[in-house]
């Protein structure tokens, strides 16, 4: 028998209700904030990601699924931002709208070592605002993420924010880090030694305790942040305070991709474990639109990992309290009742009621057991007696109450 590819997941019928619910509630929230959906393709020219994320990013170095076709190399998208900026520029959205608020959801692919909460195919739910440098927009995006988590019933998460400053500030931080770490390389983990060479800022948010200790010992300050960037960050915090969003400033929070500048943030949850505690993350990327050949446009966005939200949803205190389904299940006894049942089934469905029946000729007891397994809200029983009286027997599965209802009154009874 074939097995699924490691790091992929079947989303089974029993899980789908949660997925539909979070997609539906997020779409509603995005619309309230005036965001519109965009659906770029799943494959892109690999160069797009090399250029956007930076050649030294881990994703580019070792996590891209590549497809070679003659001279061209395509990548299965590892994230959404680069594709969306590409689509924004290619379709001249910058010319029709100086300010675009976009959201997206869909599969992403990264060739990672699979583990809990770390898949090779996973789903992002995210947004991008392109065309503004205003700190209010950073705060809007963070508060939007917070609203999505709240309305999906996710509890116990924290919001961490930081500022990386502009490109010049990032350069200064990189060089003071390089100086500070030079004599402490022996205390860093293997991955941080590679980061030291290729992407030194990532050493700051290594989860390894010995690396954290080294970073703490450097006593880094925020003196590399220029006045404009410090002001920007102050205003982001002021808006968040005014919106009563709980956040903490986390000076060691950096994001692994080259394109981030100024505000970066993460939504973290302790139940995901210490190694990968982010439910979602994002930040400002003021240089990316220009870097991909467009005009100077400030931009900010985030993405949640839906599988990680699903993991948290499965932990105690998060499950729905057994909301009943809305299925009406028809059980018939005898040939004449079966014919009547088939017509009633069609009528209920046409009337917008979710209905099903037992096609297998089970006994009354067997059919009732099945209705119970299907979490039916009502069962309609039709036998010779009911046919004679022109009624059906209606059983309310949660109260157990059972009574005869006239055919013409049935719809009203089911809808209440
Ligand atoms: P990133 O683009 O890496 O900032 O990812 C944004 C969010 O996507 C993370 O906070 C995770 O929730 C989720 N995510 C990233 N990589 C994976 C993965 N390999 N498997 C599952 N979820 C992921």
């Amino acid at each position: 028998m074939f097995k699924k590819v490691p790091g992929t997941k079947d989303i089974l019928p029993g899980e789908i209700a949660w997925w539909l619910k979070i997609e539906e509630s997020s779409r509603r929230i995005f619309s309230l904030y005036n965001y519109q959906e965009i659906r770029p393709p799943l494959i892109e020219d690999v160069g797009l990601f090399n250029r956007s994320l930076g050649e030294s990013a881990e994703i580019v170095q070792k996590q891209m699924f590549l497809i070679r076709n003659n001279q061209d190399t395509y990548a299965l998208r590892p994230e959404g931002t680069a594709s969306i900026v590409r689509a924004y520029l290619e379709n001249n959205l910058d010319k029709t709208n100086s300010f675009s608020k976009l959201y997206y959801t869909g599969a992403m692919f990264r060739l990672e070592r699979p583990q809990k909460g770390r898949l090779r195919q996973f789903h992002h739910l995210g947004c991008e605002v392109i065309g503004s440098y205003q700190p209010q927009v950073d705060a809007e995006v963070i508060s939007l993420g917070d609203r999505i988590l709240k309305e999906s019933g996710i509890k116990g998460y924290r919001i961490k924010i930081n500022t990386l400053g502009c490109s010049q500030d990032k350069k200064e931080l990189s060089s003071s880090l390089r100086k500070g770490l030079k004599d402490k390389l022996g205390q860093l983990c293997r991955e941080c030694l590679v980061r030291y060479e290729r992407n030194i800022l990532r050493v700051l948010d290594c989860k390894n305790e010995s690396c954290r200790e080294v970073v703490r010992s450097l006593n880094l300050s925020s003196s590399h942040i220029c006045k404009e960037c410090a002001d920007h960050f102050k205003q982001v915090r002021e808006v968040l305070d005014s919106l009563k969003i709980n956040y903490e400033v986390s000076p060691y929070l950096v994001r692994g991709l080259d394109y981030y500048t100024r505000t970066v943030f993460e939504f973290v949850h302790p139940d995901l474990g210490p190694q990968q505690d982010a439910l979602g993350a994002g930040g400002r990327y003021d240089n990316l639109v220009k870097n991909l050949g467009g005009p100077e446009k400030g931009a900010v966005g985030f993405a949640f990992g839906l599988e990680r939200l699903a993991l948290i949803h499965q932990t105690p205190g998060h499950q729905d309290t057994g909301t009943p389904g809305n299925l009406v299940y028809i059980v018939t006894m005898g040939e004449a009742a079966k014919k009547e049942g088939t017509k009633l089934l069609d009528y209920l469905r046409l009337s917008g009621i979710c209905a099903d029946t037992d096609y297998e000729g089970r006994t009354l007891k067997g059919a009732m057991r099945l209705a119970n397994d299907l979490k039916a809200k009502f069962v309609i029983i039709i036998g010779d007696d009911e046919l004679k009286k022109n009624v059906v027997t209606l059983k309310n599965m949660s109260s157990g109450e059972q009574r005869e209802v006239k055919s013409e009154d049935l719809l009203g009874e089911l809808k209440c």
Side-chain angles (χ1 to χ4, degrees):
M1 226 191 312
F2 289 108
K3 299 249 188 235
K4 61 182 182 296
V5 171
T8 63
K9 191 181 161 339
D10 298 308
I11 300 171
L12 297 171
E15 300 165 278
I16 208 73
W18 178 83
W19 285 79
L20 294 177
K21 203 164 128 201
I22 192 155
E23 282 165 14
E24 191 273 323
S25 77
S26 309
R27 277 181 211 286
R28 188 173 44 76
I29 296 166
F30 279 129
S31 301
L32 286 176
Y33 283 69
N34 197 28
Y35 287 62
Q36 289 183 308
E37 188 174 0
I38 182 166
R39 298 187 186 183
L42 271 65
I43 50 174
E44 296 278 0
D45 187 319
V46 68
L48 172 68
F49 300 111
N50 296 348
R51 168 73 77 88
S52 313
L53 313 184
E55 301 277 354
S56 63
E58 249 163 355
I59 297 180
V60 168
Q61 287 282 323
K62 44 185 190 192
Q63 294 178 349
M64 277 209 289
F65 278 97
L66 299 178
I67 304 166
R68 295 210 166 76
N69 177 41
N70 302 326
Q71 310 298 331
D72 302 318
T73 306
Y74 306 131
L76 293 183
R77 62 179 185 187
E79 58 109 58
T81 307
S83 298
I84 286 167
V85 174
R86 196 262 318 129
Y88 169 85
L89 291 174
E90 189 172 345
N91 297 289
N92 295 316
L93 300 189
D94 59 319
K95 309 225 166 51
T96 46
N97 262 322
S98 63
F99 184 52
S100 291
K101 296 166 94 173
L102 306 166
Y103 77 89
Y104 61 98
T105 178
M108 304 290 154
F109 304 85
R110 293 184 194 172
L111 197 50
E112 311 229 37
R113 201 151 43 86
Q115 49 189 293
K116 185 178 163 221
R118 192 165 284 283
L119 297 161
R120 288 177 169 175
Q121 179 181 332
F122 57 98
H123 294 78
H124 267 172
L125 172 81
C127 66
E128 314 292 349
V129 180
I130 309 177
S132 175
Y133 293 95
Q134 297 305 322
Q136 286 78 4
V137 179
D138 309 34
E140 175 179 291
V141 161
I142 295 171
S143 76
L144 172 50
D146 184 54
R147 175 70 55 87
I148 288 178
L149 291 185
K150 284 213 171 84
E151 295 218 3
S152 4
I154 302 282
K155 299 181 191 106
Y157 62 90
R158 284 163 34 225
I159 304 175
K160 292 188 187 175
I161 66 171
N162 189 22
T163 184
L164 298 174
C166 52
S167 308
Q168 186 54 34
D169 299 348
K170 281 170 78 177
K171 263 190 215 143
E172 278 182 32
L173 176 61
S174 300
S175 69
S176 60
L177 258 184
R178 202 168 296 284
K179 270 190 223 131
L181 290 173
K182 204 164 147 224
D183 300 328
K184 305 188 176 192
L185 294 181
Q187 298 164 56
L188 295 182
C189 70
R190 260 211 339 253
E191 277 180 53
C192 278
L193 288 178
V194 178
R195 290 176 183 144
Y196 180 84
E197 295 300 333
R198 292 187 180 155
N199 195 354
I200 193 159
L201 293 184
R202 272 323 300 256
V203 174
L204 288 182
D205 67 359
C206 178
K207 309 280 189 216
N208 207 314
E209 196 37 51
S210 62
C211 299
R212 283 172 173 233
E213 188 57 50
V214 174
V215 167
R216 277 195 292 267
S217 74
L218 298 178
N219 283 323
L220 293 169
S221 70
S222 55
S223 59
H224 58 285
I225 304 290
C226 67
K227 180 167 179 326
E228 288 75 20
C229 290
D231 274 355
H232 182 100
F233 192 47
K234 184 167 163 267
Q235 290 184 61
V236 174
R237 292 185 332 258
E238 281 170 2
V239 182
L240 290 176
D241 290 338
S242 75
L243 296 176
K244 302 206 167 15
I245 307 270
N246 279 324
Y247 64 89
E248 51 202 73
V249 176
S250 177
Y252 299 131
L253 174 67
V254 293
R255 312 277 308 125
L257 310 177
D258 272 7
Y259 58 57
Y260 285 117
T261 48
R262 291 195 162 173
T263 317
V264 286
F265 53 89
E266 273 185 0
F267 295 83
V268 296
H269 200 294
D271 293 353
L272 287 171
Q275 289 303 320
Q276 51 220 3
D277 60 356
L279 289 168
R284 188 160 265 291
Y285 50 94
D286 288 342
N287 302 321
L288 183 60
V289 180
K290 181 143 192 262
N291 193 18
L292 292 180
E296 298 229 2
K297 292 258 181 197
V300 56
F302 71 73
F304 283 121
L306 287 178
E307 284 76 4
R308 296 212 186 151
L309 296 190
L311 278 176
I312 294 303
H313 175 74
Q314 283 150 17
T315 59
H318 283 93
Q319 272 99 339
D320 291 345
T321 45
T323 39
N326 57 0
L327 175 69
V328 174
Y329 199 72
I330 301 177
V331 177
T332 57
M333 279 159 305
E335 275 312 303
K338 197 170 175 179
K339 282 192 190 131
E340 208 44 46
T342 307
K343 280 195 277 174
L344 180 59
L345 187 62
D346 192 45
Y347 171 67
L348 292 181
R349 287 170 175 168
L350 275 173
S351 310
I353 290 175
C354 164
D356 209 349
T357 192
D358 166 37
Y359 289 112
E360 308 304 322
R362 287 180 174 80
T363 59
L364 180 60
K365 205 168 152 203
M368 290 306 286
R369 201 179 305 128
L370 184 61
N372 204 33
D373 292 348
L374 292 171
K375 300 195 170 48
K377 190 173 177 192
F378 289 106
V379 172
I380 291 174
I381 304 164
I382 313 175
D384 290 340
D385 258 12
E386 282 85 359
L387 287 179
K388 251 185 251 150
K389 293 196 237 166
N390 196 23
V391 296
V392 299
T393 297
L394 183 67
K395 178 166 182 172
N396 181 323
M397 295 296 277
S398 47
S399 68
E401 185 211 357
Q402 180 170 316
R403 62 200 167 81
E404 289 184 350
V405 175
K406 285 200 195 122
S407 303
E408 59 265 32
D409 297 337
L410 185 60
L411 268 194
E413 295 282 337
L414 295 176
K415 282 188 171 160
C416 66

